[in-house]
Amino acid sequence: MSSVPFLRHGLAAAAAVFLSFGSSVAVHGQSVTTAPVGALTQQVAGGTGSGSFTFLGIPLVRASVWQGALTTASGAVLNAAANSFTAAAFSSVPHYVIITEGSNAGLMVDIVSNTSNSITLGENIDGLISSSDKISVRPHSTLASLFGDTNSAGFFASNTSAAADEILVFNSTTQSFINYYYKNAGLGGIGWRSSASSSVSRANDIIYPEQSLAILRKQATGLAITSIGEVYSGAMKIPVESGLVWTLNTTPRDTTLASLGFYTGTSSGITGSNTVALADEVLRWTGTGWESFYYKTTGLGGIGWRTSASSSIDRGTQAIGAGEVLVIRRKSQPLMVTRPAFAIAN
């Protein structure tokens, strides 16, 4: 069992499910301002036949509601000065803690409950946080916060998931998608629902900062989705579970494959090898298929980022767009990779 906490969510998906998207997936341009608070607009492709998929990553977070230093930290309980918080404020709507200063800066953990001076987390993080660390408390992005309590984003709504547009998110425990849709009529009421239940509200289901989505659009017309949020420029730790992990370029700016921080040459990064068969892979959608990258550590053709198609052509400068969806194929035990902090342009 890995000592790294992965209880807060899962992103891995079975290979058969992943590959089933096929060539119906589309990725479209997006724009974002790189100020501390930004607006990002993304295009969802219009559907053809039974619908078309678009991959979405939203590299913005909700604003911090508290930040400061801890007084003590033990197990799953973090303590701050008296009357730092409003009791129960962080559990009525899902919130999380991110360490902003400390040896594990960037670690994000869900909050279960809070009093006026303490926070109880969803998992024990002894050894990963200390009383000298500084933290930020932020509300999670949810289906409702991203797309509106009443579907202001404009997804096609219906009384069944089969007829409505769907937002697909992965669950590592079941190795299957959770299919969300906006229900506008029928027994069980209206609002955000999943294909598993037409009566249970899923409005507060969490979309984690490093979690990407697949949108199944069933209308012929496209859809523009605008998200507003804060650019988080500090380090961010991304859970990489065994199997396929759907993530994204969590910065609202274009970068390169080499700059993502996935490969470090140590146990803190994904595994490299002399062949793609033995290495972890990073996959990106090209518009017609998935291109597989890996970090080559030895052998003819040199070292560095390569593709399954060529072990000698360096691809470390491969452009990765703001919020672009990526899939990590992890072939061994779970780990955390760290997205480095970056400077926000003036």
Side-chain angles (χ1 to χ4, degrees):
M1 177 72 71
S2 169
S3 62
V4 179
F6 291 100
L7 299 180
R8 67 180 180 86
H9 69 106
L11 298 175
V17 176
F18 168 73
L19 294 172
S20 71
F21 281 147
S23 59
S24 63
V25 182
V27 174
H28 291 264
Q30 49 201 349
S31 60
V32 64
T33 59
T34 55
V37 174
L40 176 147
T41 298
Q42 296 167 296
Q43 301 296 325
V44 174
T48 57
S50 59
S52 296
F53 282 99
T54 297
F55 295 159
L56 285 185
I58 302 174
L60 300 173
V61 297
R62 297 176 74 180
S64 176
V65 296
W66 188 88
Q67 51 191 347
L70 300 171
T71 56
T72 61
S74 178
V77 179
L78 311 179
N79 293 303
N83 301 313
S84 291
F85 319 122
T86 300
F90 304 150
S91 54
S92 55
V93 173
H95 284 67
Y96 65 102
V97 161
I98 183 167
I99 301 174
T100 57
E101 292 184 27
S103 58
N104 280 294
L107 180 67
M108 298 175 285
V109 190
D110 285 345
I111 295 174
V112 173
S113 61
N114 75 284
T115 68
S116 62
N117 72 309
S118 69
I119 292 172
T120 300
L121 303 175
E123 46 195 303
N124 184 325
I125 59 170
D126 260 339
L128 298 174
I129 191 168
S130 70
S131 57
S132 62
D133 289 352
K134 292 184 179 180
I135 64 168
S136 174
V137 176
R138 295 175 181 270
H140 272 300
S141 294
T142 63
L143 286 174
S145 73
L146 288 174
F147 306 122
D149 286 309
T150 58
N151 185 30
S152 56
F155 290 108
F156 184 74
S158 183
N159 63 331
T160 67
S161 62
D165 289 343
E166 296 177 73
I167 301 168
L168 288 79
V169 182
F170 292 104
N171 181 296
S172 65
T173 302
T174 63
Q175 293 288 283
S176 61
F177 289 108
I178 301 175
N179 293 46
Y180 297 106
Y181 70 105
Y182 193 83
K183 185 168 175 281
N184 64 356
L187 292 174
I190 64 174
W192 291 105
R193 301 291 189 263
S194 75
S195 56
S197 173
S198 62
S199 59
V200 177
S201 173
R202 305 301 289 269
N204 279 335
D205 277 22
I206 296 167
I207 309 299
Y208 287 91
E210 75 286 352
Q211 193 167 20
S212 57
L213 311 173
I215 309 296
L216 179 57
R217 176 72 169 166
K218 298 173 185 176
Q219 301 299 296
T221 56
L223 182 66
I225 296 176
T226 298
S227 305
I228 297 174
E230 184 176 304
V231 175
Y232 187 76
S233 60
M236 182 181 291
K237 291 191 178 294
I238 298 173
V240 177
E241 301 181 33
S242 301
L244 293 172
V245 178
W246 284 65
T247 185
L248 66 144
N249 171 13
T250 53
T251 65
R253 57 174 58 177
D254 294 347
T255 187
T256 65
L257 182 62
S259 299
L260 289 170
F262 290 165
Y263 181 80
T264 63
T266 70
S267 60
S268 66
I270 63 173
T271 301
S273 186
N274 62 326
T275 67
V276 66
L278 297 175
D280 292 337
E281 297 169 68
V282 177
L283 300 99
R284 64 181 292 272
W285 181 251
T286 66
T288 57
W290 294 96
E291 188 171 24
S292 171
F293 299 89
Y294 71 105
Y295 195 90
K296 185 166 174 282
T297 56
T298 186
L300 292 175
I303 65 173
W305 284 102
R306 303 292 191 261
T307 69
S308 55
S310 173
S311 62
S312 60
I313 299 175
D314 182 69
R315 295 293 296 275
T317 58
Q318 170 64 49
I320 305 294
E324 183 172 348
V325 173
L326 301 164
V327 177
I328 299 174
R329 193 191 302 273
R330 175 68 173 168
K331 298 174 182 176
S332 54
Q333 72 280 359
L335 81 157
M336 289 275 192
V337 297
T338 301
R339 184 209 73 186
F342 61 92
I344 297 175
N346 293 325

